[in-house]
Amino acid sequence: MSDKPSVLFVCVHNAGRSQMAAGWLRHIAGDTIEVRSAGSEPADHLNPVAVQAMREVGIDITGQTPVRLTWDTAEASDVIVTMGCGDTCPVFPGKRYEDWKLTDPAGQPIDIVRQVRDDIRARVATLVAELRPLPSSPGSTGGHGSAGSAR
């Protein structure tokens, strides 16, 4: 078992929202958080408009492939973030869940997908702040570490 937290992003097709969230998490957290994404009914390929929107902010998700959600993937994750899969996303006992209400980018124009991308970025940044311990530096007293917890 790894000491670093793991996050699983789940949407229906694992082609848009969950892939953008995984891209943002890798970008923001680096290797401090393990990143997974999956879909209850995975598509054959990524949403090209989601790929374009992420490319615009310097994040390349083209190497990712939609994958099916499995029990093992969910069981190995500390946090499960669902995005619009409703009852098709199974519940795994003992896991922290967040359900992010986001517009499905499938079939949407780039302007809408950019809004979804930016909304996901803000949510991922908050999640990272909650999961990743504050770095300690020599001489730091750590007395102001909780000041940024307001939403």
Side-chain angles (χ1 to χ4, degrees):
M1 185 61 108
S2 174
D3 285 339
K4 62 183 171 181
S6 59
V7 176
L8 170 61
F9 295 105
V10 182
C11 66
V12 176
H13 299 297
N14 191 222
R17 292 167 289 191
S18 57
Q19 293 288 355
M20 288 192 289
W24 275 122
L25 185 56
R26 286 184 195 96
H27 179 77
I28 294 170
D31 65 356
T32 63
I33 298 174
E34 191 172 334
V35 182
R36 301 180 177 106
S37 71
S40 55
E41 298 174 27
D44 293 329
H45 58 278
L46 296 182
N47 176 334
V49 183
V51 170
Q52 177 187 346
M54 293 301 285
R55 186 178 294 128
E56 290 175 356
V57 294
I59 300 173
D60 182 6
I61 61 172
T62 57
Q64 304 304 311
T65 304
V67 297
R68 182 168 301 282
L69 175 64
T70 65
W71 177 270
D72 291 342
T73 302
E75 187 64 27
S77 302
D78 298 310
V79 179
I80 300 174
V81 179
T82 57
M83 305 173 181
C85 51
D87 293 340
T88 64
C89 285
V91 174
F92 297 88
K95 301 297 174 183
R96 172 180 165 184
Y97 276 87
E98 293 192 18
D99 184 36
W100 293 356
K101 306 286 187 215
L102 298 162
T103 299
D104 186 350
Q108 298 290 340
I110 187 67
D111 290 342
I112 299 296
V113 178
R114 286 179 183 131
Q115 291 171 13
V116 174
R117 174 200 67 201
D118 295 344
D119 186 5
I120 290 171
R121 185 207 180 286
R123 292 169 189 249
V124 167
T126 298
L127 183 62
V128 168
E130 293 170 358
L131 294 177
R132 191 166 61 181
L134 293 173
S136 59
S137 59
S140 171
T141 62
H144 54 77
S146 63
S149 63
R151 290 190 161 197

